[in-house]
Amino acid sequence: MPDKILTDTPHKPALTGCSLAEMEALFAPFAQPPYRARQVYKWVHHHQAQSFEEMSNIPKTFRRELEDHFSLASLTLAAKEVSSDGTQKYLWQLRDGKRIESVFIPEETRTTVCISSQVGCAMACEFCATGQMGFLKNLTPGEIVEQVIRLQQNTGRDITNVVLMGMGEPFLNYPRVIEAGKILCDPEGLAIAAKKITISTVGVIPRIYQFADEGQPFSLAISLHAPTQELRRQIMPVAEPFPLDELMKSARYYTHKSRKRITFEYVLLEGVNDSPAEARALKKLLSQLRCKLNLIPYNDTGVGFRAPSEERILKFAAEVESASFAVMLRKNRGNDIAAACGQLYVKAKEREKPRFMKPLHPEIQL
Ligand code: SAH
């Protein structure tokens, strides 16, 4: 299927990712009836119009004015790669020339996109390639929402799941990520179920409390990667200001307040966090709250870590298996296009089985 690439007009503000209130303000000088902003908002986000011409219930004269003053895109496609397993990686150029990645992951029962929330990342996790880049800037709600729109337009597939697991730390760009989430789940916006929008945080504790107190409808994932403060501090500098016991306290607060489960992510790093003793410690730690655990074999990005052997992964998974929470072992996707180059972690194929199943062999590609 041919690419449907929108052309950016950099001098014009993009309407993508603008809330209804923002559109009302933008259109105020044009003397249009009050309902006009809502119509355009729907064309941009719900119907994902690729031209103002398509906006059939908007008067022609106003369509022309919109065309003269606004754009429908702020991202330019810089590169695209397609994996043999159907995973597609997109590299987008922002208006200032900086680049971000998004990944499209088609599955039998759902279509997931993994999107970025920042350019680079300040958190400097030892094993993460984005962490080596440092922080460059926050994305706007428009740039976050547009990644989903453009992937949907390019693939022609309805996106059912969104994970903020691309570049960046979403909870260090909190207001813009929440604003983007609102448009993604708005029935007049992209209409993606809020609980199928997952925000993954490295563990920015004050924002976990805020997320809980605000009753945000999105799903929450926490990157844990170590069962003890000592080990976590070695691989994740964030554990210094936000120690593990405080993080678990905030996680418990969230599960009590929201009545929802948290997904904990645990990247398996050979000889670092993959011993049976660490599995047992992890099991004990997570037995305290409503959660599920995603075990993720490390994607080698050449920063000095390795994924454990399949045997060791299975042993870890068996050891951590618990009656009180579900364990999922993720299959890596898009390896042949380096979709998981570490700048972007590709959310892997995870079948929603209630428990960790054995044998896993045919499902796991290590
Ligand atoms: N900053 C957020 C979201 C972005 S990273 C967070 O930390 O949760 C999404 C997930 O990919 C995180 O769990 C991150 O630790 C993990 N990750 C980073 N590099 C990886 C790699 N090379 N292999 C596997 N997972 C990786």
Side-chain angles (χ1 to χ4, degrees):
M1 136 166 243
D3 274 3
K4 295 180 189 158
I5 305 303
L6 286 161
T7 315
D8 186 17
T9 40
H11 55 289
K12 300 177 192 168
L15 294 180
T16 332
C18 283
S19 65
L20 190 54
E22 282 168 336
M23 285 203 193
E24 277 162 4
L26 283 172
F27 301 159
F30 296 93
Q32 290 291 318
Y35 56 83
R36 199 66 81 211
R38 182 179 293 274
Q39 289 176 319
V40 177
Y41 173 89
K42 266 187 97 166
W43 276 110
V44 172
H45 300 111
H46 196 78
H47 307 300
Q48 301 174 2
Q50 294 178 47
S51 69
F52 291 105
E53 209 39 56
E54 278 171 53
M55 303 184 177
S56 50
N57 58 355
I58 309 289
K60 273 211 166 81
T61 47
F62 188 51
R63 274 188 247 165
R64 223 160 296 133
E65 282 179 312
L66 286 171
E67 176 92 57
D68 288 346
H69 292 86
F70 303 106
S71 162
L72 288 170
S74 67
L75 305 178
T76 305
L77 185 68
K80 173 184 165 182
E81 287 178 81
V82 181
S83 160
S84 55
D85 67 15
T87 303
Q88 300 181 11
K89 180 167 89 165
Y90 290 77
L91 184 67
W92 304 108
Q93 185 155 317
L94 310 179
R95 285 181 167 177
D96 64 5
K98 294 185 178 65
R99 290 176 167 199
I100 53 162
E101 291 178 327
S102 327
V103 180
F104 169 83
I105 308 150
E107 294 171 86
E108 280 152 36
T109 55
R110 60 185 178 179
T111 303
T112 303
V113 296
C114 175
I115 58 170
S116 298
S117 58
Q118 297 180 317
V119 188
C121 185
M123 304 321 289
C125 297
E126 292 285 335
F127 49 84
C128 175
T130 307
Q132 323 294 310
M133 285 174 69
F135 171 72
L136 298 179
K137 69 168 215 169
N138 282 324
L139 296 185
T140 63
E143 288 160 341
I144 298 170
V145 168
E146 194 179 322
Q147 294 173 65
V148 183
I149 293 180
R150 299 291 286 275
L151 290 176
Q152 194 151 297
Q153 287 173 340
N154 267 275
T155 61
R157 288 264 301 247
D158 266 352
I159 310 293
T160 58
N161 295 58
V162 175
V163 295
L164 281 119
M165 294 185 185
M167 292 167 97
E169 168 49 42
F171 273 5
L172 290 185
N173 190 16
Y174 189 89
R176 294 175 198 86
V177 163
I178 298 296
E179 189 58 45
K182 274 190 202 148
I183 295 172
L184 291 175
C185 73
D186 181 358
E188 297 199 321
L190 277 79
I192 296 168
K195 64 173 194 242
K196 299 204 168 169
I197 300 168
T198 302
I199 302 179
S200 176
T201 178
V202 73
V204 181
I205 294 174
R207 296 290 83 76
I208 296 174
Y209 283 109
Q210 184 178 352
F211 192 75
D213 287 338
E214 290 171 354
Q216 293 295 348
F218 314 110
S219 292
L220 181 64
I222 295 180
S223 294
L224 196 61
H225 308 331
T228 62
Q229 168 65 4
E230 167 107 42
L231 177 58
R232 200 162 187 268
R233 219 173 58 197
Q234 282 171 32
I235 54 175
M236 302 173 77
V238 71
E240 197 67 58
F242 299 129
L244 183 61
D245 54 349
E246 296 290 323
L247 177 62
M248 295 310 290
K249 219 163 98 187
S250 70
R252 254 192 312 279
Y253 181 84
Y254 172 79
T255 55
H256 281 140
K257 190 110 189 173
S258 68
R259 312 301 305 156
K260 287 191 262 196
R261 283 195 296 179
I262 289 182
T263 300
F264 285 99
E265 298 162 88
Y266 194 98
V267 172
L268 287 161
L269 305 163
E270 186 189 60
V272 176
N273 65 358
D274 65 338
S275 73
E278 275 141 5
R280 286 191 293 276
L282 181 61
K283 179 173 170 170
K284 195 164 163 220
L285 189 70
L286 297 189
S287 299
Q288 309 165 3
L289 78 177
R290 290 153 67 90
C291 66
K292 62 180 183 177
L293 172 66
N294 278 354
L295 294 176
I296 310 157
Y298 177 65
N299 289 307
D300 197 346
T301 57
V303 292
F305 293 92
R306 283 208 318 222
S309 67
E310 185 180 348
E311 191 194 338
R312 217 168 145 82
I313 290 173
L314 292 177
K315 213 167 146 192
F316 189 95
E319 196 79 53
V320 85
E321 196 181 350
S322 159
S324 60
F325 58 90
V327 182
M328 240 78 72
L329 188 50
R330 253 191 228 164
K331 181 184 164 193
N332 292 334
R333 296 276 306 255
N335 285 349
D336 55 338
I337 56 165
C341 64
Q343 288 206 338
L344 237 202
Y345 162 67
V346 176
K347 177 127 159 94
K349 189 157 187 153
E350 93 191 25
R351 298 242 162 90
E352 290 291 339
K353 287 176 185 153
R355 299 290 309 277
F356 171 68
M357 303 276 198
K358 285 178 280 186
L360 287 160
H361 192 82
E363 291 212 19
I364 306 164
Q365 181 201 328
L366 296 170

